[in-house]
């Protein structure tokens, strides 16, 4: 594994190097997470002067990642820009959404991405981003939680599945909702109701993909935008081909979530400001190599 680590080091280095050809000034998005920190590190290595890095903060601390971004920026010696936004900055943006995305598009992080692009474009015209890292290296918690849950449900006999369904319905009764409402915010699981609805759909039918339970993909019973019913593609074949359920989830994300959500979000938000965003992890040669690393090397103690 030390061999693969030094190979990874070389590969990210050369991928980032190959992406810096530009006649405009280059900067980097820096959220303080692993992906953007790595990309920023390799980018800074290419320049003798400090590069510009950008992050946005929120005065609501539950969303705020700017502190860790500041620490990483200091450590890497970048010229760091940070702007703190409040609730009004975000709500003022909502009427603009149709003009930026040109179609119904919903991802809560589209608002911060817009604000981040606005801040960045004042200083540079090309920004590097760490998108794709989670998908290539099994980074999302849902990959590992979903994997455990999938194995657990698959191994359960039918009568137990019915029992889960019963517990689940009980949990969603009006009585439970009242109890949940009374819990203090800090411990109230806000997405629990939504997740339990997903779980019910999974337990009831074997043909709806288990993937939709733990991923952000949601299949409404009636599609609001189209007259016809939403077609749910049957992915059983791919699932059986990929023996590990995490590989299957990654495969789906690379084909669906990444192009239809993440990259659409970043592309429209940045281009609205005339900012070009480059995503070195998604260089086709690098991505191809990374996907072929065995899943066992991408997880440790159930973490990606």
């Amino acid at each position: 594994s030390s061999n693969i680590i030094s190979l990874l080091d070389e590969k990210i280095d050369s991928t980032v190097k190959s992406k810096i050809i530009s006649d405009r000034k280059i900067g980097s998005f820096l959220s303080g997470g692993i992906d953007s920190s790595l990309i920023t590190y390799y980018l800074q290595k290419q320049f003798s002067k400090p590069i510009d890095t950008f992050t946005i903060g929120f005065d609501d601390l539950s969303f705020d990642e700017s502190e860790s971004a500041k620490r990483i920026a200091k450590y890497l010696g970048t010229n760091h820009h940070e702007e703190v936004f409040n609730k009004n900055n975000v709500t003022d943006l909502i009427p603009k959404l149709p003009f930026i995305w040109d179609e119904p598009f919903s991802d809560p992080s589209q608002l911060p991405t817009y604000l981040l692009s606005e801040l960045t474009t004042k200083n540079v015209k090309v920004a590097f981003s760490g998108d794709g890292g989670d998908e290539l290296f099994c980074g999302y918690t849902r990959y590992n939680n979903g994997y455990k849950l999938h194995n657990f449900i698959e191994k359960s006999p039918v009568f137990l599945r019915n029992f889960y369904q019963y517990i689940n319905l009980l949990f969603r009764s009006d009585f439970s909702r009242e109890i949940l409402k009374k819990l203090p915010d800090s411990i109230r699981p806000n997405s629990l109701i939504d997740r339990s609805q997903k779980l019910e759909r999974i337990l009831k039918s074997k043909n709806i993909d288990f993937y939709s339970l733990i991923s952000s993909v949601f299949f409404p019973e009636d599609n609001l935008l189209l007259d016809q019913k939403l077609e749910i593609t049957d992915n059983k074949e791919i699932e059986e081909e990929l023996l590990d359920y995490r590989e299957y989830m990654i495969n789906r994300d690379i084909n669906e979530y990444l192009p239809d959500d993440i990259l659409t979000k970043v592309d429209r938000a940045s281009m609205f400001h005339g900012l070009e965003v480059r995503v070195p992890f998604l260089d086709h040669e690098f991505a191809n190599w990374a996907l072929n690393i065995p899943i066992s090397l991408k997880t440790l103690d159930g973490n990606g």
Side-chain angles (χ1 to χ4, degrees):
S1 68
S2 62
N3 177 26
I4 210 155
I5 289 170
S6 55
L7 192 55
L8 177 62
D9 174 45
E10 267 164 53
K11 295 236 182 226
I12 303 180
D13 196 45
S14 67
T15 300
V16 169
K17 207 178 276 178
S18 72
K19 303 267 176 276
I20 59 176
I21 302 149
S22 168
D23 47 7
R24 315 294 293 270
K25 203 171 158 206
I26 295 177
S28 188
F29 289 161
L30 181 60
S31 68
I34 293 173
D35 303 334
S36 69
S37 300
L38 270 179
I39 293 295
T40 304
Y41 162 74
Y42 287 100
L43 187 60
Q44 180 60 76
K45 258 176 73 169
Q46 307 298 324
F47 297 95
S48 49
K49 292 198 176 94
I51 61 165
D52 290 277
T53 50
F54 304 90
T55 191
I56 55 167
F58 288 98
D59 53 11
D60 176 342
L61 289 175
S62 61
F63 302 128
D64 192 53
E65 297 179 307
S66 60
E67 273 310 304
S68 55
K70 218 179 287 180
R71 284 203 304 274
I72 300 278
K74 198 173 163 190
Y75 179 76
L76 298 177
T78 69
N79 177 22
H80 193 54
H81 306 260
E82 177 202 314
E83 206 170 319
V84 175
F85 293 96
N86 59 33
K87 199 163 103 201
N88 294 349
N89 300 116
V90 178
T91 44
D92 291 349
L93 256 183
I94 292 172
K96 289 187 183 169
L97 294 181
F99 303 101
I100 304 163
W101 273 272
D102 280 337
E103 62 180 332
F105 178 81
S106 169
D107 179 317
S109 62
Q110 71 197 99
L111 299 162
T113 306
Y114 174 93
L115 296 169
L116 178 62
S117 300
E118 190 174 47
L119 166 68
T120 305
T121 202
K122 291 174 190 162
N123 299 275
V124 301
K125 288 298 169 222
V126 178
F128 278 43
S129 155
D131 291 313
D134 284 311
E135 289 80 2
L136 296 174
F137 294 95
C138 199
Y140 291 128
T141 31
R142 58 188 166 87
Y143 290 153
N144 297 296
N145 294 345
Y147 175 67
K148 289 178 199 140
L149 194 55
H150 175 260
N151 293 350
F152 177 69
I153 290 182
E154 285 292 292
K155 291 191 181 101
S156 298
V158 174
F159 76 89
L160 265 182
R161 282 188 200 182
N162 294 339
F163 175 66
Y164 301 148
Q165 212 170 307
Y166 172 69
I167 294 285
N168 201 19
L169 288 172
L170 200 68
F171 172 70
R172 282 220 327 274
S173 65
D174 294 341
F175 175 66
S176 306
R177 273 172 197 245
E178 283 308 306
I179 293 176
L180 279 174
K181 264 188 216 150
K182 289 190 174 73
L183 291 176
D185 281 354
S186 55
I187 59 168
R188 186 174 62 220
N190 48 5
S191 57
L192 225 52
I193 301 277
D194 163 53
R195 292 204 175 139
S196 84
Q197 281 168 336
K198 285 179 172 181
L199 183 61
E200 186 190 0
R201 290 205 311 279
I202 302 302
L203 293 169
K204 267 189 180 160
S205 70
K206 279 310 279 170
N207 63 350
I208 284 199
D209 212 315
F210 179 83
Y211 167 86
S212 64
L213 167 66
I214 41 186
S215 76
S216 45
V217 173
F218 173 62
F219 297 118
E221 282 11 311
D222 297 299
N223 195 350
L224 302 175
L225 297 171
L226 305 172
D227 294 338
Q228 69 266 37
K229 284 269 187 276
L230 187 65
E231 273 182 44
I232 297 170
T233 47
D234 185 18
N235 294 281
K236 263 283 171 262
E237 277 172 34
I238 321 175
E239 192 185 325
E240 278 156 13
E241 220 173 279
L242 296 162
L243 296 172
D244 190 302
Y245 199 76
R246 288 165 298 196
E247 302 257 25
Y248 169 67
M249 287 187 276
I250 287 170
N251 178 288
R252 291 282 303 266
D253 279 349
I254 285 174
N255 286 302
E256 296 164 31
Y257 183 54
L258 203 51
D260 295 341
D261 187 327
I262 302 292
L263 297 177
T264 300
K265 173 193 77 182
V266 175
D267 188 54
R268 308 257 167 100
S270 57
M271 276 301 165
F272 190 79
H273 294 290
L275 175 72
E276 182 194 337
V277 174
R278 297 184 183 171
V279 279
F281 284 132
L282 294 175
D283 171 87
H284 65 287
E285 284 172 355
F286 178 81
N288 206 21
W289 174 78
L291 274 177
N292 285 302
I293 299 171
I295 196 90
S296 57
L297 291 176
K298 293 179 185 176
T299 55
L300 183 67
D301 302 333
N303 292 312

